[in-house]
Amino acid sequence: MKAPLHVYQNRLENIEDIIDELLQLTEEGTIIIVEGKRDVRALNKLGIDGHFEMATHHSLSNFCENIVNTGKNIVILTDWDRRGNILMSDLTKHFQSFGTNPDVRIRERLRSIVQKEIKDVESLPTYVLKLRHITGSSTFLD
């Protein structure tokens, strides 16, 4: 452990709060935009099973227009590496051109919590398990 135990406990609590928020949003029908299938699998491992859309296999303009036309709320949850940052920025601009502001708060909160320890959505389940192991939390992933 590089940091005091309470630092890991706070990180775990904050990530679990974000997971709860994502669960609630998906129950309300919010569309979560990720980069690929591994991100969807990672979120499924965390118990989040909702409407996911992968932004990496389409023309962004058509992709965004189709999602806006659903009338549902949108959360962008791309990785927080260079490529993910660029994609998030491009998606946000496209959505705004259609008069919609996607939610990027969750992504930014995750990025600030995990800092440099992980850089992508795909690594979240392993990171959560690591935090639960360090803190002695009894909650386990499937």
Side-chain angles (χ1 to χ4, degrees):
M1 279 194 320
K2 296 176 185 170
L5 181 60
H6 72 87
V7 170
Y8 294 106
Q9 288 169 327
N10 284 343
R11 282 185 192 164
L12 180 60
E13 285 175 23
N14 288 329
I15 290 172
E16 288 180 338
D17 287 346
I18 290 171
I19 292 168
D20 289 343
E21 186 175 345
L22 282 168
L23 281 168
Q24 183 175 351
L25 287 169
T26 57
E27 287 172 8
E28 295 167 1
T30 298
I31 297 172
I32 299 177
I33 298 176
V34 295
E35 289 182 48
K37 291 177 185 170
R38 290 181 180 157
D39 297 332
V40 172
R41 280 196 293 271
L43 292 168
N44 289 162
K45 279 186 183 175
L46 293 169
I48 302 162
D49 193 24
H51 183 160
F52 299 106
E53 291 288 342
M54 290 174 274
T56 51
H57 307 299
H58 315 278
S59 142
L60 284 188
S61 185
N62 291 342
F63 176 77
C64 292
E65 184 177 12
N66 290 337
I67 290 176
V68 166
N69 287 338
T70 67
K72 297 187 177 190
N73 291 329
I74 304 157
V75 169
I76 297 177
L77 194 55
T78 57
D79 298 342
W80 37 97
D81 57 8
R82 184 177 177 278
R83 186 169 166 251
N85 289 336
I86 292 168
L87 181 57
M88 183 270 302
S89 178
D90 290 347
L91 284 166
T92 301
K93 286 176 192 166
H94 277 88
F95 280 122
Q96 288 173 340
S97 75
F98 291 109
T100 299
N101 282 317
D103 184 342
V104 295
R105 285 176 313 112
I106 291 173
R107 179 185 180 274
E108 296 307 315
R109 283 173 40 215
L110 269 174
R111 188 175 61 87
S112 71
I113 293 165
V114 301
Q115 301 185 356
K116 298 197 186 309
E117 293 206 37
I118 62 171
K119 61 179 178 41
D120 51 39
V121 173
E122 173 182 338
S123 302
L124 271 173
T126 305
Y127 186 68
V128 169
L129 278 177
K130 174 184 162 188
L131 289 177
R132 288 177 176 164
H133 178 74
I134 290 169
T135 62
S137 173
S138 60
T139 313
F140 294 99
L141 301 173
D142 294 340

